[in-house]
Amino acid sequence: MSGVLVRGCTLWDGTPGSVYCEGGKIARIYREEEPDLPPGAELIEANGGSLVPGLVDSHCHPFEYGWLKRSVDLRGTSNLTALRMRVSSGVLKAGPGDWVVGMGWDQEAFPGRTMPGRADIDDLTPSNPVALSRVCGHIGLLNTAAIRRLGLESKSGPEYERDAAGELTGIVKETALADALSALPRTTEKLSADLLSVEAEAAKLGLTALHCIVSPEGFREELSVLAGLESEGSGSLRYRVYVPSEALGFVEEKGLRSKMSGDAVRINGVKVFTDGSLGARTAALREPYADDPGNSGLLRMKDSELDDLVERADSAGYQVIVHAIGDRAVEQAVGSLSRVTGARNPRRHRIEHASLVPRDLVAKMAKHGIRAAVQPCFVTSDNWAAERLGEERARDLYPFRSMLEAGVVLSGGSDSPVEPLSPVLGMWAAMTRGGSSPGESLTLEQALALYSTGAWSNGFDELSLKVGSRADFTLFDSDIGGMHPALLRKVGVLATLIGGEAAHSFGAG
Ligand SMILES: [Zn+2]
């Protein structure tokens, strides 16, 4: 394996230097002297660009994103007509009776902000079942053909929305949506291709590793694709894998934890859900929604059920990551996790999203060493959140700075495909917050740490920038030190080095 010399960069400590990587490791760091290119080595001229520890997305769904790339993309549709046009074009491409799948609609962007129903799409295709996930992934719209195909006509309960006449509207929530999606056909060939297309994009964006959330619907196929990746040292991304609790039996039975325990692909933990999303008003709140006074959201499990699940996963040696968005859900998650963390939380259990976190819960997280994986772009996207929560409660949304100052270890991510995969966009959002609760804005150093130090730590990857340690780096096209967020947002990635090899590079000599 030949080496790579990154020449003339701004090192992570802000000083000028060069770095030579060989055999997957940092072989030499030059600070004063001009390096010569070792024979056979690849040269990357940095022209002063910042070389930072490899960026990591600490919560994303690459299989879903890959699937989205080849399904009907409903993101950005601002009315029903636009949604219908995109579904129609999907129907044209589908074979007779094939599923038409779409993702990313958001009724908050529609005039009147009314939820769509199956009556709005039934005339587009009587024979193709259609399933369209809302941008949050917690609510979906099914057409009548899909309801029939899945045999849902007689289903009842809050997860199957019915109108005043008692008819299913086509809107399904939470586990009802998950059940519907699990019935969709999946092949490992398609999933592999999906993952490859996401890998290429991620490397261009400067990402060296993904904390990959495996879906409850397709874990068998997704895990088999991940297990088949022999990406050690090949320049492909690293995967830190989180499986749904439903998959635990499968993982144990197939011995997947020992098969997927390397530096390239590793099963780290178990993902557990406690609630839904604010957008869908299914996030569990201590007090009702300001704009829906009869509704406080939904907890998916009783406290005792979550306790059992957390205890079982913890004692089996898994890191437990708990999806919790509303303050009631965060409270429940903190309650269950704190039973197993001790004071130091050696398994690094963490809360995913941690959206509405009042001060008492920030303090409890810090006390028990409970970590969080947050998505800064939610702050700028959820510009309707104050209506859901009221101005006062909205001040406790995404309190990144308060959590850091209390000592909570934070990592950044995109929740892609919910938000764009770009870590730089996430850093920008963490610094600017679209103006909401500006006191919670992070500095550039803190924002960068979310996607590097924090994310490495939250995924059990020890960051050490010494000779002999793992050579995962992101090289920006300029020196980002002290850069204004507006400029940072536009900064380019010159190279992404994974295990000392360029997974992506412009200007390699
Ligand atoms: Zn997610």
Side-chain angles (χ1 to χ4, degrees):
M1 197 191 297
S2 57
V4 175
L5 177 67
V6 180
R7 188 158 71 185
C9 59
T10 302
L11 295 172
W12 43 91
D13 58 6
T15 60
S18 301
V19 173
Y20 181 60
C21 310
E22 198 178 48
K25 311 254 187 260
I26 302 174
R28 197 161 165 196
I29 301 169
Y30 303 84
R31 292 187 178 269
E32 305 286 318
E33 64 279 39
E34 268 291 299
D36 291 324
L37 186 66
E42 181 185 346
L43 175 65
I44 298 175
E45 287 286 9
N47 296 314
S50 293
L51 185 71
V52 300
L55 301 181
V56 178
D57 188 316
S58 71
H59 181 123
C60 62
H61 305 259
F63 289 103
E64 277 182 41
Y65 180 42
W67 193 359
L68 174 70
K69 285 178 150 195
R70 65 176 163 83
S71 64
V72 182
D73 184 355
L74 300 171
R75 292 175 300 174
T77 48
S78 56
N79 54 50
L80 263 180
T81 312
L83 178 141
R84 284 171 51 84
M85 280 171 64
R86 293 202 198 166
V87 173
S88 290
S89 68
V91 170
L92 283 176
K93 284 185 224 151
D98 280 356
W99 278 91
V100 175
V101 179
M103 292 185 192
W105 58 270
D106 182 1
Q107 86 287 354
E108 291 298 326
F110 295 176
R113 305 157 103 192
T114 34
M115 279 282 184
R118 61 173 160 157
D120 295 317
I121 54 168
D122 267 348
D123 62 317
L124 299 175
T125 168
S127 55
N128 295 91
V130 176
L132 310 174
S133 301
R134 192 183 176 275
V135 65
C136 62
H138 292 269
I139 282 192
L141 172 61
L142 305 176
N143 71 350
T144 298
I147 289 171
R148 293 211 182 107
R149 176 81 66 98
L150 298 168
L152 304 179
E153 293 92 334
S154 61
K155 290 277 187 185
S156 59
E159 300 195 320
Y160 298 88
E161 192 182 88
R162 288 181 181 270
D163 61 18
E167 296 291 330
L168 289 172
T169 63
I171 292 289
V172 290
K173 300 180 183 177
E174 305 299 335
T175 50
L177 174 62
D179 289 347
L181 296 178
S182 68
L184 300 180
R186 282 176 175 73
T187 65
T188 49
E189 291 74 23
K190 278 204 166 141
L191 290 174
S192 291
D194 289 348
L195 198 61
L196 274 182
S197 89
V198 174
E199 276 198 351
E201 183 182 335
K204 269 191 203 157
L205 292 167
L207 289 166
T208 56
L210 304 179
H211 292 192
C212 169
I213 315 290
V214 165
S215 75
E217 300 84 34
F219 63 81
R220 287 179 186 80
E221 297 82 0
E222 292 175 17
L223 286 169
S224 109
V225 169
L226 287 165
L229 287 177
E230 291 192 10
S231 48
E232 189 102 49
S234 70
S236 298
L237 296 189
R238 299 185 194 281
Y239 292 91
R240 305 296 174 247
V241 180
Y242 294 88
V243 302
S245 49
E246 296 90 323
L248 279 184
F250 178 80
V251 167
E252 297 295 335
E253 180 189 317
K254 301 270 172 193
L256 289 180
R257 269 168 97 192
S258 52
K259 274 187 204 147
M260 298 159 79
S261 60
D263 221 13
V265 181
R266 185 170 72 222
I267 293 183
N268 265 0
V270 181
K271 163 122 184 257
V272 180
F273 275 96
T274 59
D275 69 343
S277 75
L278 285 171
R281 294 192 189 85
T282 50
L285 303 181
R286 283 169 165 175
E287 305 290 335
Y289 282 86
D291 58 355
D292 187 3
N295 176 21
S296 303
L298 297 171
L299 276 181
R300 289 203 178 193
M301 272 182 271
K302 291 188 196 124
D303 291 354
S304 58
E305 288 170 322
L306 184 62
D307 289 349
D308 286 351
L309 202 52
V310 166
E311 265 166 27
R312 229 175 337 122
D314 176 84
S315 59
Y318 289 97
Q319 180 185 19
V320 185
I321 68 171
V322 186
H323 166 116
I325 287 189
D327 49 2
R328 176 71 191 94
V330 175
E331 184 173 41
Q332 189 188 39
V334 168
S336 286
L337 291 177
S338 63
R339 292 159 58 96
V340 295
T341 53
R344 310 246 335 256
N345 189 11
R347 294 213 200 286
R348 305 188 193 181
H349 300 315
R350 63 187 213 205
I351 296 181
E352 307 302 284
H353 315 307
S355 301
L356 184 61
V357 194
R359 294 306 134 103
D360 63 307
L361 295 177
V362 172
K364 277 193 184 144
M365 287 176 72
K367 181 177 168 209
H368 296 285
I370 296 169
R371 294 151 176 254
V374 298
Q375 294 70 36
C377 284
F378 285 9
V379 188
T380 46
S381 295
D382 295 3
N383 48 16
W384 37 260
E387 289 169 42
R388 291 272 191 281
L389 299 171
E391 292 290 339
E392 195 174 327
R393 240 187 328 180
R395 281 184 214 125
D396 292 328
L397 264 177
Y398 310 111
F400 299 154
R401 184 180 279 261
S402 300
M403 288 200 272
L404 282 180
E405 284 175 355
V408 176
V409 179
L410 290 188
S411 59
S414 63
D415 204 7
S416 168
V418 177
E419 298 288 345
L421 203 50
S422 164
V424 166
L425 191 67
M427 286 166 59
W428 166 83
M431 292 168 73
T432 60
R433 297 179 63 91
S436 78
S437 307
E440 296 292 346
S441 297
L442 300 188
T443 64
L444 191 145
E445 291 69 28
Q446 289 170 324
L448 178 63
L450 289 189
Y451 292 88
S452 52
T453 341
W456 282 52
S457 174
N458 269 354
F460 281 94
D461 285 287
E462 302 315 326
L463 183 63
S464 124
L465 297 161
K466 296 191 184 107
V467 168
S469 66
R470 203 169 82 192
D472 288 5
F473 289 109
T474 304
L475 176 65
F476 289 114
D477 64 6
S478 0
D479 176 2
I480 62 166
M483 195 178 258
H484 189 277
L487 287 177
L488 178 74
R489 192 178 169 169
K490 299 197 178 105
V491 80
V493 171
L494 211 52
T496 305
L497 295 174
I498 301 169
E501 289 197 28
H504 158 74
S505 80
F506 286 122

